[in-house]
Amino acid sequence: VERHYATERAAILDALPAQIALLDADGGIAAINEGWRRFAIENDLDDQDAGLGGNYLNICETARGPHSEEASEVADGIRAVLAGKIRRYTLEYPCHSWQEKRWFLLTATPLNENTPSGAVVMHIDISDRVKAQMQADELRNRLERLIDQASVGILVHRNFVPVLVNRETARQFGFEDPDDLLALGDCRQLFAEDELARVEGYNAARLKGLAAPEVYRVTGRRRDGAPLVLENRAFTIKWDDEMAVCAMMTDITRQLETEDQLRQ
């Protein structure tokens, strides 16, 4: 029965898409799966047995080179799992090869939660997730730079609570920095009082999917109290899984003054 159980356990471990080692109570590597062995072979590790029979804690604590400090932290984390002090230890870390950049998630959990008797250590390849996140972050950074450098004012708000303001919007309303405008907490302060009912009505209609003008003129109020006329193009967008309104504003105050002078 025990032999059958051991064979069945080995088959299950070998089938899992991770590098797995079973540690005894002292951190000794009692068993490894095929993924652990294959990783050692593919990466030309000196120890073709991939540490089987050695002590995982000692391997971590004697590691040298890049990320050796993290290896020491791993030893402390696994030691805490073995002692029953914590139920789970995790660490995301880079492990680049000469062919590609890779990242792994290390997890250590006790073999028996009731009686400290060893631990299961897994190294899971999370490179695809990390690369996708890096690409998303890069795209977000590019969009943020594009928005910040735009020549039109861009203001995103949820029920008039500003969540994004670019530099042109701050300049239009006489603020030195977009963060100063975000700190207002309510962007209705940017509009003349006699415009509030109309602006609030348009906003409520958009959020309900009702008809509202996409482009309209509105009188704003600069930080110093001076009025300005804006051509506002507004539409709804998803922001952090919630509906929001994006207003793209062009200051046409001087344009209207010039047109008025020409008419006179």
Side-chain angles (χ1 to χ4, degrees), residues 77 118 128 155 192 201 223 225 230-231 243:
D128 290 343
L155 167 66
R223 192 176 193 178
L230 300 163
E231 185 175 80
M243 292 304 297

Side-chain angles (χ1 to χ4, degrees), residues 8-246:
E8 193 174 66
R9 183 187 68 179
I12 293 172
L13 292 177
D14 288 342
L16 294 174
Q19 294 96 55
I20 303 174
L22 303 183
L23 309 185
D24 61 27
D26 297 320
I29 304 176
I32 57 176
N33 75 336
E34 183 59 29
W36 191 285
R37 292 190 182 88
R38 188 167 57 250
F39 183 83
I41 295 172
E42 291 175 352
N43 290 274
D44 299 324
L45 298 183
D46 295 334
D47 184 1
Q48 293 300 302
D49 291 330
L52 184 62
N55 188 285
Y56 194 82
L57 302 179
N58 291 341
I59 293 173
C60 291
E61 290 172 335
T62 58
R64 296 292 181 269
H67 310 294
S68 57
E69 292 182 0
E70 291 180 356
S72 179
E73 293 177 9
V74 168
D76 293 338
I78 294 176
R79 188 174 283 109
V81 170
L82 292 171
K85 295 180 180 179
I86 59 175
R87 292 186 175 183
R88 182 182 178 88
Y89 172 78
T90 63
L91 175 72
E92 291 188 11
Y93 66 95
C95 183
H96 306 322
S97 69
W98 63 273
Q99 295 176 318
E100 62 176 338
K101 289 188 175 182
R102 304 173 302 188
W103 288 263
F104 287 84
L105 169 65
L106 179 149
T107 68
T109 54
L111 277 172
N112 188 329
E113 291 191 2
N114 298 322
T115 305
S117 58
V120 180
V121 175
M122 291 196 297
H123 295 260
I124 304 169
D125 191 333
I126 58 171
S127 300
D128 290 343
R129 175 173 67 80
V130 173
K131 290 176 182 177
Q133 184 62 51
M134 291 174 66
Q135 290 174 353
D137 290 343
E138 176 60 24
L139 178 59
R140 186 181 300 109
N141 290 335
R142 290 180 182 179
L143 287 173
E144 288 178 354
R145 289 195 296 269
L146 182 63
I147 289 171
D148 204 44
Q149 296 170 6
S151 58
V152 62
I154 299 175
L155 167 66
V156 178
H157 65 87
R158 283 198 295 256
N159 290 322
F160 298 106
V161 177
V163 293
L164 182 145
V165 177
N166 72 342
R167 291 192 177 278
E168 177 60 16
T169 302
R171 186 200 66 77
Q172 289 173 350
F173 288 94
F175 290 83
E176 295 183 3
D177 191 274
D179 288 339
D180 296 332
L181 201 154
L182 286 171
L184 292 178
D186 189 335
C187 58
R188 282 175 290 194
Q189 300 178 48
L190 301 175
F191 302 101
E193 290 186 10
D194 57 359
E195 293 278 25
L196 292 182
R198 184 165 65 104
V199 170
E200 289 171 353
Y202 290 165
N203 185 76
R206 285 191 199 92
L207 294 177
K208 293 178 181 178
L210 302 177
E214 293 183 4
V215 181
Y216 61 95
R217 290 182 180 178
V218 62
T219 302
R221 183 172 59 185
R222 289 175 55 85
R223 192 176 193 178
D224 59 7
L228 73 159
V229 181
L230 300 163
E231 185 175 80
N232 187 23
R233 181 181 299 273
F235 50 91
T236 57
I237 61 171
K238 272 289 189 71
W239 190 272
D240 291 337
D241 296 326
E242 293 184 33
M243 292 304 297
V245 172
C246 177

Side-chain angles (χ1 to χ4, degrees), residues 1-15:
V1 175
E2 290 184 2
R3 182 178 299 176
H4 174 74
Y5 172 75
T7 302
E8 193 174 66
R9 183 187 68 179
I12 293 172
L13 292 177
D14 288 342

Side-chain angles (χ1 to χ4, degrees), residues 244-256:
V245 172
C246 177
M248 302 181 70
M249 299 172 290
T250 303
D251 185 351
I252 59 172
T253 307
R254 290 187 178 180
Q255 174 187 327
L256 294 177

